[in-house]
Amino acid sequence: MPAESKACRDALNRVMLTYRIDVIHNASVEKVGQTTVNIQTSEKIGVKNQIVLEYTHCIWATGAERHQLAEDLNSQCGLEVTDRGWIVVNEYLESISHPGVFAAGDCNEIKLNGAKSPPKAGVYAVRSGPVLIENITRKLSGKKLTSFEPQSDFLKLLMCGDGKALGFRFGIPLFGKWVWELKDHIDVTFMNLFDVNLLPKLEIGGERGSETETGGKKSYDTKQYDAYEAGEKRPSASSAAADLLRTDDDVDYLHNWNIIKEMVQDGDYRRDVLAEARMKLA
């Protein structure tokens, strides 16, 4: 995980050591048998080793893969795709080769004025959804499209299988029962979005940024993603850092979730909390 901080990588290594998880780098699977896996490794240039691992359960994790539809459209219509088969789109999620064709989520590669396209993570697919439907309807009505502005970082959560989880945010590691509870809370909250009784109200008409009847500005409804439980006093930067780094079972996950959201909303507060956290991790 080269994109993560040293503190996060060290935390992951500690967790893997605790849970007896081994990682074999620079390896390819040659054969999967009924009870064994044959692996060829090349830890050193020009030197290859054969390893036979016994297993009780073999789980094949492949990551994101291109859609057959993208491949078909590329060969039949010339739709622009990357060498991995991702549909190339602009900041409006619209194909750079075929106007009127839109793609969002893992299937696309976004050209953002030279910036790197976001990683294949669900948070970007979810947040591009409102922009996608907005731009499809705007395209059909001949209106100006609006750009998708992906966030630079996101909360990463790894379940440990025993009611605890490891998380990364802002370059600091988070671990414990409270991180698992936070993961469960986020997942349940997201699934509740599909409950017809809990759907946000649809606001009809108006351009993004145009005046509403009350004089305010229209914008996409992201409350379902960013609900903030206000009411408690914001802890000091030192206290916030200490709370985020706690690993005991008595941590209030909602309290820490609010700290993280305060850090997202307030850059100065985020800087101060991270400075305290880094000193505690040193």
Side-chain angles (χ1 to χ4, degrees):
M1 305 182 75
E4 299 300 331
S5 67
K6 183 179 184 301
C8 289
R9 295 197 302 271
D10 290 345
L12 179 57
N13 284 329
R14 287 194 299 270
V15 167
M16 290 195 298
L17 182 63
T18 299
Y19 291 90
R20 298 187 297 174
I21 299 172
D22 295 325
V23 178
I24 302 175
H25 296 283
N26 303 315
S28 60
V29 176
E30 298 294 316
K31 178 183 177 182
V32 178
Q34 292 294 324
T35 59
T36 59
V37 178
N38 291 42
I39 297 175
Q40 181 171 280
T41 67
S42 55
E43 294 291 346
K44 297 180 180 179
I45 297 177
V47 179
K48 295 184 178 180
N49 299 312
Q50 294 286 341
I51 299 176
V52 178
L53 296 177
E54 295 184 353
Y55 71 86
T56 56
H57 297 77
C58 182
I59 300 173
W60 202 271
T62 60
E65 186 59 74
R66 65 179 180 272
H67 287 271
Q68 183 62 45
L69 177 61
E71 191 171 315
D72 293 342
L73 291 175
N74 171 253
S75 61
Q76 297 172 14
C77 309
L79 184 72
E80 184 77 16
V81 299
T82 69
D83 56 357
R84 293 197 60 189
W86 312 130
I87 300 172
V88 183
V89 299
N90 56 27
E91 67 270 28
Y92 309 117
L93 305 178
E94 185 178 28
S95 167
I96 64 171
S97 63
H98 288 65
V101 175
F102 293 84
D106 288 356
C107 70
N108 77 15
E109 180 91 2
I110 308 176
K111 294 292 186 182
L112 296 170
N113 297 321
K116 188 176 180 180
S117 184
K120 306 302 182 187
V123 62
Y124 296 107
V126 168
R127 290 176 180 271
S128 65
V131 180
L132 175 67
I133 189 64
E134 179 77 9
N135 280 344
I136 289 175
T137 55
R138 288 188 177 207
K139 190 73 175 183
L140 292 172
S141 58
K143 296 180 179 179
K144 183 180 178 181
L145 304 184
T146 189
S147 60
F148 172 55
E149 300 172 0
Q151 61 198 71
S152 59
D153 188 26
F154 61 99
L155 177 64
K156 307 162 186 85
L157 298 168
L158 306 173
M159 312 304 287
C160 295
D162 61 353
K164 295 181 180 180
L166 173 67
F168 303 144
R169 190 66 165 106
F170 307 118
I172 60 174
L174 315 168
F175 180 76
K177 177 173 173 284
W178 75 268
V179 184
W180 187 96
E181 292 173 336
L182 175 57
K183 166 68 173 170
D184 185 62
H185 170 75
I186 292 172
D187 289 345
V188 170
T189 301
F190 176 73
M191 292 308 298
N192 283 342
L193 296 177
F194 301 94
D195 185 331
V196 67
N197 297 312
L198 299 175
L199 289 175
K201 292 182 179 180
L202 179 64
E203 188 175 8
I204 305 298
E207 297 286 339
R208 186 189 190 198
S210 63
E211 296 289 336
T212 64
E213 292 181 359
T214 58
K217 297 287 185 180
K218 286 182 179 291
S219 61
Y220 296 122
D221 177 14
T222 60
K223 293 188 294 297
Q224 62 264 45
Y225 310 135
D226 303 310
Y228 172 61
E229 301 295 333
E232 65 176 49
K233 183 180 178 181
R234 174 192 282 184
S236 66
S238 179
S239 295
D243 287 340
L244 290 176
L245 296 178
R246 284 176 59 184
T247 61
D248 60 274
D249 291 348
D250 296 326
V251 181
D252 180 354
Y253 75 90
L254 284 179
H255 169 76
N256 279 8
W257 187 216
N258 280 340
I259 290 176
I260 292 172
K261 290 193 173 183
E262 288 271 12
M263 294 171 68
V264 170
Q265 296 170 15
D266 188 330
D268 291 336
Y269 184 62
R270 177 172 66 249
R271 181 198 61 221
D272 295 341
V273 173
L274 291 179
E276 294 286 342
R278 291 184 184 114
M279 285 192 295
K280 297 177 187 299
L281 289 168

